mmCIF file of all heavy atoms in Angstrom:
data_model
loop_
_atom_site.group_PDB
_atom_site.id
_atom_site.type_symbol
_atom_site.label_atom_id
_atom_site.label_comp_id
_atom_site.label_asym_id
_atom_site.label_seq_id
_atom_site.Cartn_x
_atom_site.Cartn_y
_atom_site.Cartn_z
ATOM 1 N N LEU A 1 173.301 34.925 109.623
ATOM 2 C CA LEU A 1 174.020 35.371 110.839
ATOM 3 C C LEU A 1 175.224 34.433 110.955
ATOM 4 O O LEU A 1 175.071 33.349 111.341
ATOM 5 C CB LEU A 1 173.240 35.543 112.041
ATOM 6 C CG LEU A 1 172.033 36.516 111.950
ATOM 7 C CD1 LEU A 1 171.245 36.375 113.204
ATOM 8 C CD2 LEU A 1 172.484 37.817 111.679
ATOM 9 N N VAL A 2 176.395 34.941 110.676
ATOM 10 C CA VAL A 2 177.621 34.092 110.654
ATOM 11 C C VAL A 2 178.790 34.766 111.339
ATOM 12 O O VAL A 2 178.993 36.093 111.132
ATOM 13 C CB VAL A 2 177.904 33.631 109.273
ATOM 14 C CG1 VAL A 2 178.299 34.795 108.382
ATOM 15 C CG2 VAL A 2 179.064 32.706 109.189
ATOM 16 N N GLU A 3 179.489 34.112 111.981
ATOM 17 C CA GLU A 3 180.853 34.592 112.636
ATOM 18 C C GLU A 3 181.977 34.165 111.729
ATOM 19 O O GLU A 3 182.132 32.899 111.439
ATOM 20 C CB GLU A 3 180.993 34.072 114.093
ATOM 21 C CG GLU A 3 182.044 34.685 114.731
ATOM 22 C CD GLU A 3 182.144 34.227 116.225
ATOM 23 O OE1 GLU A 3 181.087 33.921 116.833
ATOM 24 O OE2 GLU A 3 183.217 34.202 116.730
ATOM 25 N N ILE A 4 182.758 35.187 111.301
ATOM 26 C CA ILE A 4 183.797 34.996 110.445
ATOM 27 C C ILE A 4 185.121 35.170 111.196
ATOM 28 O O ILE A 4 185.342 36.255 111.756
ATOM 29 C CB ILE A 4 183.842 35.904 109.251
ATOM 30 C CG1 ILE A 4 182.553 35.823 108.450
ATOM 31 C CG2 ILE A 4 185.123 35.592 108.412
ATOM 32 C CD1 ILE A 4 182.224 34.508 107.839
ATOM 33 N N PRO A 5 185.918 34.129 111.394
ATOM 34 C CA PRO A 5 187.238 34.294 112.203
ATOM 35 C C PRO A 5 187.985 35.469 111.620
ATOM 36 O O PRO A 5 188.023 35.640 110.452
ATOM 37 C CB PRO A 5 187.781 32.909 112.017
ATOM 38 C CG PRO A 5 186.782 31.981 111.798
ATOM 39 C CD PRO A 5 185.763 32.746 110.967
ATOM 40 N N GLU A 6 188.686 36.106 112.481
ATOM 41 C CA GLU A 6 189.552 37.210 112.131
ATOM 42 C C GLU A 6 190.530 37.045 110.913
ATOM 43 O O GLU A 6 190.806 37.900 110.174
ATOM 44 C CB GLU A 6 190.288 37.752 113.369
ATOM 45 C CG GLU A 6 191.128 38.979 113.196
ATOM 46 C CD GLU A 6 191.877 39.420 114.354
ATOM 47 O OE1 GLU A 6 191.983 38.663 115.383
ATOM 48 O OE2 GLU A 6 192.547 40.415 114.347
ATOM 49 N N LYS A 7 191.103 35.939 110.929
ATOM 50 C CA LYS A 7 192.070 35.528 109.887
ATOM 51 C C LYS A 7 191.478 35.213 108.535
ATOM 52 O O LYS A 7 192.167 35.094 107.628
ATOM 53 C CB LYS A 7 192.975 34.364 110.340
ATOM 54 C CG LYS A 7 193.773 34.839 111.627
ATOM 55 C CD LYS A 7 194.746 33.715 111.953
ATOM 56 C CE LYS A 7 195.571 34.260 112.962
ATOM 57 N NZ LYS A 7 196.110 33.830 114.063
ATOM 58 N N LYS A 8 190.177 35.080 108.515
ATOM 59 C CA LYS A 8 189.486 34.861 107.191
ATOM 60 C C LYS A 8 188.964 36.092 106.519
ATOM 61 O O LYS A 8 188.569 37.032 107.145
ATOM 62 C CB LYS A 8 188.438 33.901 107.333
ATOM 63 C CG LYS A 8 188.893 32.512 107.857
ATOM 64 C CD LYS A 8 187.779 31.501 107.821
ATOM 65 C CE LYS A 8 188.204 30.130 108.390
ATOM 66 N NZ LYS A 8 188.390 29.066 107.516
ATOM 67 N N ASP A 9 189.002 36.232 105.213
ATOM 68 C CA ASP A 9 188.491 37.344 104.530
ATOM 69 C C ASP A 9 186.950 37.152 104.286
ATOM 70 O O ASP A 9 186.574 36.223 103.653
ATOM 71 C CB ASP A 9 189.210 37.339 103.147
ATOM 72 C CG ASP A 9 188.780 38.576 102.302
ATOM 73 O OD1 ASP A 9 187.580 39.042 102.538
ATOM 74 O OD2 ASP A 9 189.492 38.912 101.353
ATOM 75 N N TYR A 10 186.194 38.021 104.949
ATOM 76 C CA TYR A 10 184.723 37.726 104.961
ATOM 77 C C TYR A 10 184.180 37.872 103.514
ATOM 78 O O TYR A 10 183.340 37.228 103.068
ATOM 79 C CB TYR A 10 184.007 38.824 105.867
ATOM 80 C CG TYR A 10 183.993 40.236 105.412
ATOM 81 C CD1 TYR A 10 182.904 40.668 104.745
ATOM 82 C CD2 TYR A 10 185.017 41.032 105.708
ATOM 83 C CE1 TYR A 10 182.842 42.050 104.354
ATOM 84 C CE2 TYR A 10 185.064 42.373 105.419
ATOM 85 C CZ TYR A 10 184.045 42.888 104.696
ATOM 86 O OH TYR A 10 183.932 44.184 104.339
ATOM 87 N N LYS A 11 184.774 38.794 102.658
ATOM 88 C CA LYS A 11 184.273 38.950 101.282
ATOM 89 C C LYS A 11 184.480 37.782 100.438
ATOM 90 O O LYS A 11 183.612 37.268 99.766
ATOM 91 C CB LYS A 11 184.975 40.161 100.645
ATOM 92 C CG LYS A 11 184.526 41.551 101.078
ATOM 93 C CD LYS A 11 185.381 42.666 100.443
ATOM 94 C CE LYS A 11 184.956 44.028 101.061
ATOM 95 N NZ LYS A 11 185.790 45.134 100.409
ATOM 96 N N MET A 12 185.690 37.180 100.660
ATOM 97 C CA MET A 12 186.002 36.003 99.908
ATOM 98 C C MET A 12 185.217 34.842 100.363
ATOM 99 O O MET A 12 184.633 34.002 99.542
ATOM 100 C CB MET A 12 187.498 35.650 100.077
ATOM 101 C CG MET A 12 187.944 34.503 99.173
ATOM 102 S SD MET A 12 189.716 34.355 99.118
ATOM 103 C CE MET A 12 190.256 34.370 100.718
ATOM 104 N N MET A 13 184.850 34.787 101.722
ATOM 105 C CA MET A 13 184.075 33.695 102.198
ATOM 106 C C MET A 13 182.595 33.825 101.734
ATOM 107 O O MET A 13 182.007 32.908 101.336
ATOM 108 C CB MET A 13 184.057 33.836 103.834
ATOM 109 C CG MET A 13 183.281 32.769 104.367
ATOM 110 S SD MET A 13 183.982 31.139 104.256
ATOM 111 C CE MET A 13 185.580 31.457 104.964
ATOM 112 N N PHE A 14 182.090 35.010 101.753
ATOM 113 C CA PHE A 14 180.679 35.178 101.228
ATOM 114 C C PHE A 14 180.578 34.816 99.794
ATOM 115 O O PHE A 14 179.660 34.111 99.357
ATOM 116 C CB PHE A 14 180.226 36.621 101.421
ATOM 117 C CG PHE A 14 180.144 37.128 102.835
ATOM 118 C CD1 PHE A 14 180.027 38.422 103.148
ATOM 119 C CD2 PHE A 14 180.017 36.161 103.950
ATOM 120 C CE1 PHE A 14 179.950 38.857 104.482
ATOM 121 C CE2 PHE A 14 179.924 36.557 105.225
ATOM 122 C CZ PHE A 14 179.940 37.896 105.452
ATOM 123 N N ASN A 15 181.588 35.266 99.004
ATOM 124 C CA ASN A 15 181.479 34.902 97.523
ATOM 125 C C ASN A 15 181.729 33.387 97.258
ATOM 126 O O ASN A 15 181.105 32.815 96.375
ATOM 127 C CB ASN A 15 182.464 35.707 96.747
ATOM 128 C CG ASN A 15 182.068 37.221 96.607
ATOM 129 O OD1 ASN A 15 180.861 37.361 96.443
ATOM 130 N ND2 ASN A 15 182.899 38.205 96.724
ATOM 131 N N LYS A 16 182.474 32.772 98.067
ATOM 132 C CA LYS A 16 182.708 31.316 97.933
ATOM 133 C C LYS A 16 181.500 30.581 98.188
ATOM 134 O O LYS A 16 181.099 29.577 97.447
ATOM 135 C CB LYS A 16 183.918 30.867 98.879
ATOM 136 C CG LYS A 16 184.273 29.521 98.740
ATOM 137 C CD LYS A 16 185.025 29.318 97.630
ATOM 138 C CE LYS A 16 185.908 27.947 97.683
ATOM 139 N NZ LYS A 16 186.615 27.768 96.372
ATOM 140 N N VAL A 17 180.748 30.944 99.372
ATOM 141 C CA VAL A 17 179.468 30.253 99.614
ATOM 142 C C VAL A 17 178.411 30.511 98.597
ATOM 143 O O VAL A 17 177.674 29.596 98.163
ATOM 144 C CB VAL A 17 179.038 30.733 101.094
ATOM 145 C CG1 VAL A 17 177.653 30.346 101.298
ATOM 146 C CG2 VAL A 17 179.958 30.194 102.085
ATOM 147 N N LYS A 18 178.357 31.701 98.085
ATOM 148 C CA LYS A 18 177.431 32.024 96.972
ATOM 149 C C LYS A 18 177.732 31.118 95.686
ATOM 150 O O LYS A 18 176.765 30.515 95.161
ATOM 151 C CB LYS A 18 177.537 33.571 96.501
ATOM 152 C CG LYS A 18 176.836 34.382 97.407
ATOM 153 C CD LYS A 18 176.966 35.952 97.115
ATOM 154 C CE LYS A 18 176.482 36.151 95.613
ATOM 155 N NZ LYS A 18 176.647 37.547 95.264
ATOM 156 N N SER A 19 178.979 31.011 95.400
ATOM 157 C CA SER A 19 179.374 30.247 94.231
ATOM 158 C C SER A 19 179.027 28.729 94.385
ATOM 159 O O SER A 19 178.458 28.189 93.512
ATOM 160 C CB SER A 19 180.891 30.507 94.060
ATOM 161 O OG SER A 19 181.329 29.553 93.003
ATOM 162 N N ILE A 20 179.404 28.190 95.578
ATOM 163 C CA ILE A 20 179.100 26.800 95.811
ATOM 164 C C ILE A 20 177.666 26.445 95.910
ATOM 165 O O ILE A 20 177.112 25.560 95.332
ATOM 166 C CB ILE A 20 179.950 26.281 97.065
ATOM 167 C CG1 ILE A 20 181.384 26.414 96.771
ATOM 168 C CG2 ILE A 20 179.580 24.858 97.344
ATOM 169 C CD1 ILE A 20 182.271 26.190 97.946
ATOM 170 N N SER A 21 176.920 27.415 96.657
ATOM 171 C CA SER A 21 175.458 27.103 96.725
ATOM 172 C C SER A 21 174.808 27.238 95.390
ATOM 173 O O SER A 21 173.848 26.554 95.134
ATOM 174 C CB SER A 21 174.841 28.196 97.754
ATOM 175 O OG SER A 21 175.002 29.387 97.301
ATOM 176 N N TRP A 22 175.363 28.182 94.495
ATOM 177 C CA TRP A 22 174.712 28.209 93.222
ATOM 178 C C TRP A 22 175.004 26.927 92.358
ATOM 179 O O TRP A 22 174.115 26.378 91.770
ATOM 180 C CB TRP A 22 175.312 29.431 92.443
ATOM 181 C CG TRP A 22 175.172 29.340 90.986
ATOM 182 C CD1 TRP A 22 176.179 29.585 90.057
ATOM 183 C CD2 TRP A 22 174.067 29.088 90.173
ATOM 184 N NE1 TRP A 22 175.676 29.415 88.759
ATOM 185 C CE2 TRP A 22 174.348 29.238 88.850
ATOM 186 C CE3 TRP A 22 172.685 28.903 90.376
ATOM 187 C CZ2 TRP A 22 173.539 29.031 87.739
ATOM 188 C CZ3 TRP A 22 171.825 28.737 89.327
ATOM 189 C CH2 TRP A 22 172.252 28.776 88.024
ATOM 190 N N SER A 23 176.180 26.446 92.571
ATOM 191 C CA SER A 23 176.496 25.230 91.808
ATOM 192 C C SER A 23 175.763 23.980 92.395
ATOM 193 O O SER A 23 175.557 22.976 91.634
ATOM 194 C CB SER A 23 178.093 24.854 91.720
ATOM 195 O OG SER A 23 178.494 24.526 93.147
ATOM 196 N N LYS A 24 175.369 23.983 93.579
ATOM 197 C CA LYS A 24 174.567 22.749 94.227
ATOM 198 C C LYS A 24 173.189 23.101 94.301
ATOM 199 O O LYS A 24 172.351 22.259 94.728
ATOM 200 C CB LYS A 24 175.084 22.617 95.664
ATOM 201 C CG LYS A 24 176.578 22.027 95.560
ATOM 202 C CD LYS A 24 176.846 21.624 96.990
ATOM 203 C CE LYS A 24 178.348 21.049 97.017
ATOM 204 N NZ LYS A 24 178.148 19.621 96.614
ATOM 205 N N ALA A 25 172.741 24.112 93.788
ATOM 206 C CA ALA A 25 171.245 24.572 93.784
ATOM 207 C C ALA A 25 170.243 23.646 93.153
ATOM 208 O O ALA A 25 169.204 23.392 93.654
ATOM 209 C CB ALA A 25 171.040 25.899 93.208
ATOM 210 N N THR A 26 170.720 22.960 92.121
ATOM 211 C CA THR A 26 169.922 22.014 91.394
ATOM 212 C C THR A 26 169.502 20.817 92.137
ATOM 213 O O THR A 26 168.517 20.194 91.969
ATOM 214 C CB THR A 26 170.595 21.513 90.170
ATOM 215 O OG1 THR A 26 171.806 20.970 90.439
ATOM 216 C CG2 THR A 26 170.766 22.658 89.134
ATOM 217 N N GLU A 27 170.266 20.517 93.325
ATOM 218 C CA GLU A 27 169.949 19.430 94.152
ATOM 219 C C GLU A 27 168.842 19.804 95.131
ATOM 220 O O GLU A 27 168.183 18.897 95.683
ATOM 221 C CB GLU A 27 171.193 19.036 94.989
ATOM 222 C CG GLU A 27 172.329 18.603 94.125
ATOM 223 C CD GLU A 27 173.638 18.454 95.053
ATOM 224 O OE1 GLU A 27 173.490 18.108 96.299
ATOM 225 O OE2 GLU A 27 174.749 18.544 94.570
ATOM 226 N N TYR A 28 168.457 21.075 95.160
ATOM 227 C CA TYR A 28 167.519 21.576 96.232
ATOM 228 C C TYR A 28 166.264 22.256 95.620
ATOM 229 O O TYR A 28 165.238 22.294 96.155
ATOM 230 C CB TYR A 28 168.114 22.381 97.229
ATOM 231 C CG TYR A 28 169.210 21.662 97.900
ATOM 232 C CD1 TYR A 28 170.491 21.709 97.543
ATOM 233 C CD2 TYR A 28 168.977 20.902 99.052
ATOM 234 C CE1 TYR A 28 171.618 21.118 98.064
ATOM 235 C CE2 TYR A 28 169.938 20.314 99.723
ATOM 236 C CZ TYR A 28 171.263 20.293 99.256
ATOM 237 O OH TYR A 28 172.376 19.620 99.893
ATOM 238 N N LEU A 29 166.609 22.963 94.449
ATOM 239 C CA LEU A 29 165.590 23.853 93.790
ATOM 240 C C LEU A 29 165.401 23.644 92.282
ATOM 241 O O LEU A 29 166.477 23.289 91.725
ATOM 242 C CB LEU A 29 166.073 25.365 94.103
ATOM 243 C CG LEU A 29 166.429 25.845 95.479
ATOM 244 C CD1 LEU A 29 167.079 27.147 95.431
ATOM 245 C CD2 LEU A 29 165.108 25.815 96.278
ATOM 246 N N PRO A 30 164.286 23.934 91.783
ATOM 247 C CA PRO A 30 164.097 23.838 90.287
ATOM 248 C C PRO A 30 164.899 24.946 89.666
ATOM 249 O O PRO A 30 164.805 26.145 90.080
ATOM 250 C CB PRO A 30 162.586 24.034 90.148
ATOM 251 C CG PRO A 30 161.979 24.348 91.400
ATOM 252 C CD PRO A 30 163.032 24.271 92.463
ATOM 253 N N LEU A 31 165.737 24.640 88.736
ATOM 254 C CA LEU A 31 166.667 25.673 88.058
ATOM 255 C C LEU A 31 165.833 26.584 87.192
ATOM 256 O O LEU A 31 166.394 27.732 87.063
ATOM 257 C CB LEU A 31 167.715 25.017 87.258
ATOM 258 C CG LEU A 31 169.023 24.943 87.750
ATOM 259 C CD1 LEU A 31 170.041 24.361 86.881
ATOM 260 C CD2 LEU A 31 169.515 26.285 88.309
ATOM 261 N N ASP A 32 164.731 26.285 86.813
ATOM 262 C CA ASP A 32 163.955 27.339 85.969
ATOM 263 C C ASP A 32 163.511 28.488 86.882
ATOM 264 O O ASP A 32 163.277 29.613 86.408
ATOM 265 C CB ASP A 32 162.701 26.710 85.301
ATOM 266 C CG ASP A 32 161.815 25.994 86.206
ATOM 267 O OD1 ASP A 32 162.253 25.476 87.272
ATOM 268 O OD2 ASP A 32 160.563 25.935 85.958
ATOM 269 N N GLU A 33 163.548 28.323 88.187
ATOM 270 C CA GLU A 33 163.226 29.343 89.211
ATOM 271 C C GLU A 33 164.337 29.973 89.780
ATOM 272 O O GLU A 33 164.544 31.222 89.765
ATOM 273 C CB GLU A 33 162.260 28.781 90.188
ATOM 274 C CG GLU A 33 160.919 28.302 89.643
ATOM 275 C CD GLU A 33 159.962 27.832 90.751
ATOM 276 O OE1 GLU A 33 160.402 27.590 91.754
ATOM 277 O OE2 GLU A 33 158.912 27.354 90.317
ATOM 278 N N PHE A 34 165.377 29.278 90.185
ATOM 279 C CA PHE A 34 166.523 29.777 90.790
ATOM 280 C C PHE A 34 167.668 29.807 89.695
ATOM 281 O O PHE A 34 168.145 28.799 89.222
ATOM 282 C CB PHE A 34 166.988 28.886 92.029
ATOM 283 C CG PHE A 34 168.230 29.393 92.684
ATOM 284 C CD1 PHE A 34 168.104 30.530 93.635
ATOM 285 C CD2 PHE A 34 169.590 28.986 92.320
ATOM 286 C CE1 PHE A 34 169.185 31.081 94.192
ATOM 287 C CE2 PHE A 34 170.723 29.613 92.970
ATOM 288 C CZ PHE A 34 170.480 30.587 93.854
#
């Protein structure tokens, strides 16, 4: 549940967070599963 300021593109924001969280996933999760 997130509030996106009016001037920000929510689609771009969601995809950016997905991309970065994927790149950092190995710090938190076993990659053979995620």
Side-chain angles (χ1 to χ4, degrees):
L1 295 178
V2 60
E3 188 170 332
I4 307 294
E6 182 180 9
K7 294 184 172 139
K8 295 189 186 250
D9 179 343
Y10 72 95
K11 290 179 186 177
M12 190 167 45
M13 183 67 62
F14 295 162
N15 286 321
K16 185 77 162 172
V17 168
K18 280 176 61 180
S19 175
I20 295 170
S21 64
W22 160 233
S23 71
K24 293 187 172 281
T26 56
E27 298 173 29
Y28 303 91
L29 305 171
L31 254 185
D32 57 328
E33 293 172 2
F34 183 80

